[in-house]
Amino acid sequence: MRHLMSPLDLSVEELDKLLTLANDIEKNPGKYAHACEGKKLATCFYEPSTRTRLSFESAMINLGGSVIGFSSADSSSAAKGESVSDTIRVISCFADICAMRHPKEGAPLVASQHSSIPVINAGDGGHQHPTQTLTDLLTIRSLKGRLDHLKIGLCGDLKFGRTVHSLINALIRYPGIEFVLISPNELRVPEYIREDVLIANHIPFVEVERLEDAIPDLDILYMTRVQKERFFNEEDYIRMKDFYILDKAKMELAKKDMLVLHPLPRVNEISVEVDNDPRAVYFKQVQYGVYVRMALILTLLEIEV
Ligand code: CP
């Protein structure tokens, strides 16, 4: 039985197979419509979500399966003090696979250690968000045609942004990847990402503060939200929250084929005037998230169609 805690739980070959399966699901949805009949997905979300929870649910329904779950800690027995390890033992009696989001780093890992069904990390604190990464990789590969030889700008909250941490970990496995890390000094990538991931693997990167300086050379611009929920101090959040706003003027500095991705939700960091630019693909990205989660459910349940 396999779980997914980090994108690195899948080898590059497995990832390639999964993304190819997701593309086939996109082209031939009817072929997969009954693949999970009789199977149940549990979505155990201890933290708010729109995309991840509903795209998992949509994915399982598209595969002919059913969905159970809870969407906040308050509506589960966590509110009475039940541990994650006890909860997953119980969920294992009800469902065939579980997607779990939790505000504490490592909680889905603890669940996986006590589970008799596959557990998928649907986001743990500021740590990892592997299924967002699968979504991002599928979006880039489908729209750019490759995952190698790309200059990728990661912009915004690189300190707490778990989608950024997972994406860096996944992309360094491809040749010719360079990063431009665009953030205010206070929100730079954590030292363990800079030292143990980028420097240790000899990945070219620069850290800059101004988006305008970085944007002309980028193949991909990955915008992120400054996450209010990760700040201890409201004043710091207010000071940082509008540090970056991608607007039409900045898009004019970018390459004609640069893609703008964002894991969403967006607050102010991308002006709505950018939404109609063909390079803005963050809503297409959401749709890719359903296909890739369908592919992941099939892979972890070892269902071949
Ligand atoms: N991208 C993402 O994780 O969105 P949600 O928080 O809405 O799930």
Side-chain angles (χ1 to χ4, degrees), residues 51 224-225 262-275 282-283:
R51 270 146 300 275
T224 62
R225 171 177 68 99
H262 190 312
L264 304 179
R266 134 182 80 182
V267 186
N268 286 328
E269 61 280 1
I270 302 180
S271 165
V272 291
E273 68 186 19
V274 175
D275 292 355
Y282 28 89
F283 291 113

Side-chain angles (χ1 to χ4, degrees), residues 45 47-55 101 122-123 129 131-132 162-163 222 225 229 262-265 293:
F45 276 58
E47 207 185 45
S49 167
T50 297
R51 270 146 300 275
T52 311
R53 186 171 64 83
L54 297 181
S55 66
R101 171 170 289 188
H129 192 346
T131 62
Q132 181 63 49
R162 60 192 174 198
T163 62
Y222 192 90
R225 171 177 68 99
E229 65 273 29
H262 190 312
L264 304 179
R293 290 185 174 98

Side-chain angles (χ1 to χ4, degrees), residues 111-305:
S112 72
Q113 289 162 346
H114 296 88
S115 179
S116 53
I117 59 173
V119 176
I120 301 167
N121 178 3
D124 60 331
H127 186 220
Q128 296 266 0
H129 192 346
T131 62
Q132 181 63 49
T133 298
L134 299 181
T135 301
D136 303 339
L137 296 179
L138 181 64
T139 306
I140 296 170
R141 199 182 82 155
S142 302
L143 301 179
K144 269 281 179 210
R146 64 183 194 281
L147 288 171
D148 53 277
H149 298 93
L150 292 167
K151 191 167 207 170
I152 297 166
L154 302 166
C155 179
D157 178 359
L158 309 188
K159 180 178 180 182
F160 299 113
R162 60 192 174 198
T163 62
V164 166
H165 306 160
S166 287
L167 188 57
I168 291 174
N169 270 302
L171 279 170
I172 62 162
R173 300 190 290 178
Y174 297 90
I177 292 292
E178 288 177 59
F179 292 108
V180 183
L181 306 175
I182 309 156
S183 73
N185 192 42
E186 292 91 330
L187 297 178
R188 290 169 68 199
V189 288
E191 198 173 319
Y192 79 92
I193 297 280
R194 192 179 309 106
E195 300 291 330
D196 304 346
V197 180
L198 294 170
I199 295 174
N201 290 288
H202 312 289
I203 306 299
F205 73 96
V206 290
E207 294 186 277
V208 300
E209 198 169 84
R210 278 169 50 87
L211 176 57
E212 298 86 324
D213 296 342
I215 202 168
D217 291 333
L218 301 177
D219 299 307
I220 306 285
L221 173 60
Y222 192 90
M223 295 295 295
T224 62
R225 171 177 68 99
V226 174
Q227 300 178 83
K228 188 176 183 187
E229 65 273 29
R230 310 272 176 238
F231 278 79
F232 294 113
N233 178 336
E234 174 102 15
E235 255 175 51
D236 286 347
Y237 169 69
I238 289 168
R239 200 162 43 81
M240 298 287 153
K241 73 183 174 68
D242 292 330
F243 204 93
Y244 297 108
I245 299 180
L246 180 65
D247 55 15
K248 265 190 173 172
K250 290 193 190 78
M251 287 298 285
E252 277 171 20
L253 303 171
K255 289 184 187 172
K256 296 286 170 248
D257 62 348
M258 184 192 79
L259 297 180
V260 183
L261 278 73
H262 190 312
L264 304 179
R266 134 182 80 182
V267 186
N268 286 328
E269 61 280 1
I270 302 180
S271 165
V272 291
E273 68 186 19
V274 175
D275 292 355
N276 290 331
D277 189 308
R279 295 169 291 180
V281 297
Y282 28 89
F283 291 113
K284 272 189 198 162
Q285 195 180 344
V286 175
Q287 183 63 61
Y288 282 119
V290 178
Y291 303 135
V292 90
R293 290 185 174 98
M294 289 170 74
L296 180 65
I297 290 169
L298 291 174
T299 303
L300 294 182
L301 289 179
E302 298 179 350
I303 293 172
E304 293 206 9
V305 178

